[in-house]
Amino acid sequence: MRFNLACRQCGKQLAFQPDRVRCTCGGSLYVAYDLERVRCTFTRSSLARRPASMWRYSELLPVADRRHIVSLGEGWTPLVRLVRAEQALPVGKLWVKREEQNPTGSFKARGFSVALSVAVEYGVRKAAVNSNGNAASAMAAYAGFAGVEAYAFLPKDCPGLIVHECKSYGAHTVLVDGLIHDAGRLIRDGAAEQGWYRFGTMQEHGRAEGKKTMGLELAEQLGWRLPDTIIYPTGGGSGIVGMWDAVQQLKQLGLIEGDPPRLISVQEEGCRPLVDALRNGGVFRPAGDAVSSPPTGMRVPNPPDGQLITDILRQSGGTAVAVTAEEIRRGAEALGRYGISASPEGAATWAGLLRLIEQGTIGPREEVVLFNTAHALKYLPWKEENTVTVRDYREWRSLMQR
Ligand SMILES: *Cc1c(COP(=O)(O)O)cnc(C)c1O
Ligand SMILES: [Zn+2]
């Protein structure tokens, strides 16, 4: 096999399994590739001739048979330099990675393209996801394309248009009276009985591996180098994990050199477990239910791999920063005037940039990339009628039986 699983803690290797994410030692497992073999074909000149898709990096994605690839045209998104913003701000170079141009209007498409490909390879017929919205709509679209039956469980304050979108792709779509982890509990409680394959954050390997392509792409688009700093709106953190793995693998393949980019997570004031962990000497504690922020992709109080994300931010020399709803609103306006339709999460990276400049964390010669992870249009007000709301698995099941 071209890839295995390896433990981030004890280093043990085992055969690839799509949904085995923990080692017996408690460490988290990642996909380890045979890089000696990858090196033969994964070269700058060979890559330059490949299609404008994230599947150009297929040697570093965990799909054994290319016929299983589930693709709707994701990845290879534009990296746009904001020259006018560079003139207005004390920053060296500034780019926006336009992830809103992915299918389903968010970068979640990358994760689900890989996750569904892996699922198809393993014969999955029925799958469920808990999500603040964009993961569910991406899952619904890719599952629809692949012919997998999809179940989406969303917090009841999920933006109405995204609920509508999930339904339009044919997913069984249900609201949960609670937060994203309550929706995750519902799926865990029902998985065995319903035969659900679980697509939740860090429950299987496809999503983090798919997001890894953001890091690979960034390096290639910048001419095989990486910026000084990457500012990324963080929730469950699979994007941070994926991009960090991208940096390590590119280094091991000899495709990039030098220090890794600083990875900086932006969160919202009302839900900021990573910011607290960094203030707390790097010890991660889940935020529990005590959150007061709107339902964006950043609102993940209990990320399953919170400590790993914290460790990666520190190892990269980065940090985490919290911004207010008002700063996010102004961030969307600012990016809008530069021609970028920014979701609240994308706008938060702009707000984070201003904070970090003010704090002196980002200096005047620095090269910075912001990730606009979704399209503003997904968050426009829309009242989606007739969606069932439940508290837990038992209630959902009794409703289904009626
Ligand atoms: C899911 C999501 C995030 C958070 O990404 P993670 O990699 O899970 O931390 C950020 N922005 C948007 C738009 C999202 O949908
Ligand atoms: Zn281990």
Side-chain angles (χ1 to χ4, degrees):
M1 199 65 160
R2 187 163 51 78
F3 47 89
N4 281 312
L5 295 179
C7 175
R8 292 186 196 270
Q9 204 159 285
C10 72
K12 189 166 95 182
Q13 295 236 357
L14 53 155
F16 180 80
Q17 295 165 60
D19 53 357
R20 170 102 193 257
V21 292
R22 286 269 155 235
C23 178
T24 43
C25 81
S28 62
L29 296 169
Y30 68 98
V31 185
Y33 296 85
D34 179 353
L35 293 181
E36 286 317 308
R37 195 163 143 196
V38 170
R39 199 191 298 272
C40 303
T41 53
F42 199 89
T43 61
R44 291 180 184 184
S45 57
S46 147
L47 285 162
R49 290 191 299 268
R50 295 185 187 184
S53 155
M54 62 175 229
W55 288 98
R56 66 201 281 112
Y57 306 116
S58 60
E59 291 100 323
L60 291 179
L61 293 171
V63 181
D65 183 341
R66 289 191 68 87
R67 286 172 301 186
H68 295 142
I69 292 175
V70 180
S71 172
L72 288 167
E74 55 293 322
W76 203 252
T77 56
L79 180 68
V80 172
R81 194 161 155 201
L82 297 187
V83 179
R84 282 205 309 120
E86 287 169 8
Q87 288 158 0
L89 293 172
V91 60
K93 289 183 184 161
L94 183 65
W95 291 269
V96 179
K97 184 75 168 141
R98 302 208 62 183
E99 289 297 302
E100 83 283 0
Q101 297 192 17
N102 276 297
T104 75
S106 92
F107 77 128
K108 290 290 197 298
R110 294 179 186 266
F112 282 96
S113 177
V114 178
L116 261 298
S117 302
V118 174
V120 164
E121 193 149 271
Y122 282 81
V124 169
R125 306 297 319 149
K126 203 173 170 188
V129 76
N130 59 315
S131 159
N132 282 326
N134 290 320
S137 65
M139 190 275 245
Y142 284 88
F145 185 73
V148 171
E149 196 177 352
Y151 290 79
F153 294 94
L154 305 155
K156 69 176 178 197
D157 58 354
C158 177
L161 261 178
I162 304 184
V163 179
H164 181 76
E165 192 192 357
C166 292
K167 291 183 191 170
S168 74
Y169 295 132
H172 304 276
T173 307
V174 173
L175 301 176
V176 177
D177 187 2
L179 294 164
I180 186 169
H181 53 263
D182 299 303
R185 185 176 335 106
L186 186 158
I187 294 173
R188 203 162 54 238
D189 291 346
E193 197 169 59
Q194 301 298 326
W196 287 327
Y197 179 81
R198 290 192 286 151
F199 276 127
T201 301
M202 307 304 256
Q203 303 292 325
E204 52 74 56
H205 292 286
R207 289 184 60 189
E209 289 297 296
K211 289 184 183 180
K212 183 174 80 182
T213 61
M214 295 189 294
L216 302 175
E217 242 171 70
L218 201 52
E220 189 175 2
Q221 288 176 326
L222 289 173
W224 296 110
R225 45 189 288 282
L226 284 162
D228 301 312
T229 299
I230 292 173
I231 306 184
Y232 179 82
T234 309
S238 51
I240 293 288
V241 174
M243 284 197 281
W244 186 244
D245 287 346
V247 172
Q248 308 310 317
Q249 289 170 5
L250 289 174
K251 271 197 123 162
Q252 285 164 29
L253 289 166
L255 287 167
I256 55 168
E257 288 162 12
D259 290 334
R262 294 194 293 174
L263 298 179
I264 299 187
S265 285
V266 182
Q267 301 204 290
E268 219 228 305
E269 276 295 350
C271 179
R272 34 173 266 191
L274 292 169
V275 179
D276 292 337
L278 280 139
R279 286 201 188 149
N280 197 18
V283 181
F284 181 84
R285 283 200 206 90
D289 291 319
V291 300
S292 62
S293 62
T296 71
M298 295 177 287
R299 193 182 71 182
V300 183
N302 308 328
D305 269 306
Q307 189 59 54
L308 172 64
I309 304 158
T310 308
D311 295 345
I312 289 174
L313 295 177
R314 277 164 58 110
Q315 238 180 303
S316 76
T319 183
V321 59
V323 297
T324 65
E326 175 57 21
E327 287 173 295
I328 291 175
R329 200 189 55 72
R330 288 202 301 265
E333 271 177 21
L335 281 171
R337 282 195 294 269
Y338 292 120
I340 310 287
S341 165
S343 65
E345 300 87 345
T349 66
W350 178 272
L353 171 69
L354 297 189
R355 278 285 188 95
L356 295 160
I357 289 174
E358 198 181 286
Q359 291 170 7
T361 310
I362 287 182
R365 273 197 287 279
E366 206 146 322
E367 299 190 354
V368 181
V369 171
L370 308 180
F371 270 84
N372 184 37
T373 45
H375 207 290
L377 296 180
K378 301 195 77 176
Y379 298 78
L380 289 182
W382 169 276
K383 201 162 161 39
E384 179 63 15
E385 312 277 359
N386 304 323
T387 315
V388 170
T389 304
V390 300
R391 273 187 309 272
D392 54 21
Y393 176 61
R394 275 181 52 189
E395 189 181 352
W396 179 80
R397 194 180 54 177
S398 69
L399 277 174
M400 290 304 113
Q401 281 165 351
R402 251 187 247 151

